[in-house]
Amino acid sequence: MTQLINDTGFVADDWTKGFCGAGAANDCVALDLASDSDPNTIELAPAIEMIRIDFPSSADGRGFTIARALRLRGYEGRLRAKGHLLADQYAMARRSGFDEVEVNDEIAARQPADQWLFRADWQAHDYQSRLRGAPAT
């Protein structure tokens, strides 16, 4: 089983439409991308409602780069990080464009909701704002 996390903590997964691999048929509404996917080659068809990006290891940050690139290309649908993420990485996931994080039950048990919620104010404590002396937005 897995646990889904967003800015309110652990939530029920309401996605029931399944996932397709990149390059799937035109009727696909959700893509499941590997961590080594090239975000510039992903077809962002209007029908794509969700993209889920795999994190095979908590030390593998390529998913953050993919998410940011997809957002910069104009993708506005749901973006989900899946795999070995830690609560400490939640703020980075949100800043790079993810809406939610999906982890396995083992990770969720080791890092309960309060640890994820502690980082849910992902727009606060922006280091660039602190360096400029301006309040974070």
Side-chain angles (χ1 to χ4, degrees), residues 65-108:
T65 303
I66 295 169
R68 182 72 178 143
L70 292 173
R71 291 297 191 200
L72 288 173
R73 287 186 54 209
Y75 179 69
E76 295 180 359
R78 278 172 80 173
L79 200 52
R80 179 183 292 186
K82 173 191 176 239
H84 295 276
L85 283 102
L86 306 174
D88 288 344
Q89 295 171 305
Y90 184 69
M92 179 53 126
R94 293 290 285 131
R95 284 189 187 113
S96 62
F98 286 105
D99 299 300
E100 56 202 23
V101 172
E102 178 184 336
V103 297
N104 64 31
D105 288 337
E106 181 182 331
I107 292 172

Side-chain angles (χ1 to χ4, degrees), residues 26-53:
N26 292 339
D27 61 348
C28 182
V29 295
L31 295 176
D32 213 358
L33 301 180
S35 62
D36 61 352
S37 298
D38 181 350
N40 297 312
T41 63
I42 305 301
E43 184 180 344
L44 298 177
I48 302 297
E49 299 174 32
M50 182 189 293
I51 297 175
R52 182 171 68 176
I53 301 170

Side-chain angles (χ1 to χ4, degrees), residues 3-21:
Q3 296 291 327
L4 191 63
I5 301 128
N6 67 18
D7 288 349
T8 62
F10 289 176
V11 296
D13 190 353
D14 62 351
W15 186 257
T16 59
K17 299 178 184 180
F19 294 91
C20 307

